[in-house]
Amino acid sequence: MRRVLLPHHFSQHPAPARGTVRDFRGLSMGTSWSVRLVAPADAAPDAHLQEGMQQQLDIVVAQMSHWYADSSLSRFNRGAAGTWHTLPAEFFEVLAFALEVARASGGAYDPGIGALINRWGFGPGGGYALADFAPPTPAEVAALLAQGRGRIELDTLAHRARQPGATLLDLSAVAKGHGVDRVARYLEGQGVRHYLVEVGGELRGAGSKPDGQPWWVALEQAETGPGDLVLALHGLAVATSGDYRRFFQRGARRYSHTLDPRSGAPIDNALASVTVVHAECMAADAWSTALTVLGAEAGLALADRLGLAARFLERDGAGLRERLSLSMRRMLQQ
């Protein structure tokens, strides 16, 4: 069964008459990116757009990657306890938003658990995939939790952040979405109003195609689900967090790459995935992770309280059970 999600508002600006769809592709953040946009038929060659979009993503890597020792994030992570660090404006924006999601979710999301992520083998190097990898002991987890309890302070006026000591930032759950938003804003600054941006599966779209149709995308789905759910990505972004992407198995237990910052362990709550639809991809990215950690009951309650459009897929025997937040149900066209 195919079901359709529609935005509440549609732009009154049609795609250019006789416009053509142009495609762009590249690599960034350990994954691929792609953009489809509508250009007037007589538009000049657009090589500068390819370069400009790649530059937007390169900025995210240079500032927020935990894979590169000279990134702004890595330098912050090496900072001594109590030191203040002036951050690039983009990095500061993302960190401030991540800390707000951490507060609003009651700690279900925390950008400061990089040390735990590394020890569980999901950081740089991907240790979980090595044959001799052993999960951390409860004592190790407790020690790493205690190590990362320091509160990161922000100085909004000066764009500074205080390293509380031994806190390792990991912005993987928000930086990719921020990258999508950066590319979208760059295109709009270049006068492009009709586009679909994708980075590693996270998407944001605006306007329509030359035939007047919106950018239709299918919501990501793990295994056998309750049927296709397609979204008109018109002035919206979508991101999915799922336990089927990266995990390792020890005996009968499956260890997801998504950690619960409150316990320091991988989630174990029967959720296969959470998809969030939002105007900003950064928000969809971060909230899909936070709601996944909270689980179906608490996550759905928080999504409804905050007005988030979210889809929960919960394992139920051999299949999946779908639960939609109120905002997501209001977008659903029966």
Side-chain angles (χ1 to χ4, degrees), residues 54-141:
Q54 185 67 57
Q55 286 176 349
Q56 299 307 307
L57 296 172
D58 290 347
I59 289 171
V60 179
V61 172
Q63 295 183 8
M64 292 167 250
S65 174
H66 57 287
W67 289 76
Y68 294 101
D70 60 347
S71 70
S72 302
L73 181 144
S74 293
R75 291 196 295 272
F76 176 87
N77 285 348
R78 292 194 298 270
T83 55
W84 284 90
H85 300 256
T86 300
L87 306 180
E90 298 86 355
F91 182 7
F92 187 88
E93 172 196 351
V94 173
L95 177 57
F97 179 76
L99 292 173
E100 174 57 27
V101 173
R103 183 201 62 78
S105 66
Y109 169 69
D110 185 347
I113 61 167
L116 273 164
I117 292 172
N118 293 345
R119 181 59 189 88
W120 277 102
F122 295 113
Y128 74 94
L130 301 176
D132 60 349
F133 174 75
T137 65
E140 287 180 281
V141 169

Side-chain angles (χ1 to χ4, degrees), residues 190-224:
Q190 298 296 309
V192 179
R193 296 289 180 266
H194 305 270
Y195 59 78
L196 178 66
V197 177
E198 177 267 336
V199 179
E202 321 291 32
L203 300 114
R204 175 168 166 166
S208 59
K209 294 183 282 188
D211 61 2
Q213 285 290 312
W215 305 100
W216 291 107
V217 299
L219 266 60
E220 192 172 322
Q221 183 162 291
E223 304 153 14
T224 303

Side-chain angles (χ1 to χ4, degrees), residues 3-17:
R3 296 165 298 153
V4 174
L5 294 166
L6 295 177
H8 299 304
H9 305 286
F10 286 88
S11 168
Q12 299 303 309
H13 302 290

Side-chain angles (χ1 to χ4, degrees), residues 30-46:
T31 187
S32 62
W33 64 266
S34 65
V35 169
R36 308 196 78 201
L37 60 84
V38 181
D42 58 353
D46 41 30

Side-chain angles (χ1 to χ4, degrees), residues 1 3 221-222 224-228 311 313 320-323:
M1 181 178 67
R3 296 165 298 153
Q221 183 162 291
T224 303
D228 291 338
R311 180 203 203 195
L313 289 182
L320 295 172
R321 181 167 63 128
E322 178 186 79
R323 303 176 73 173

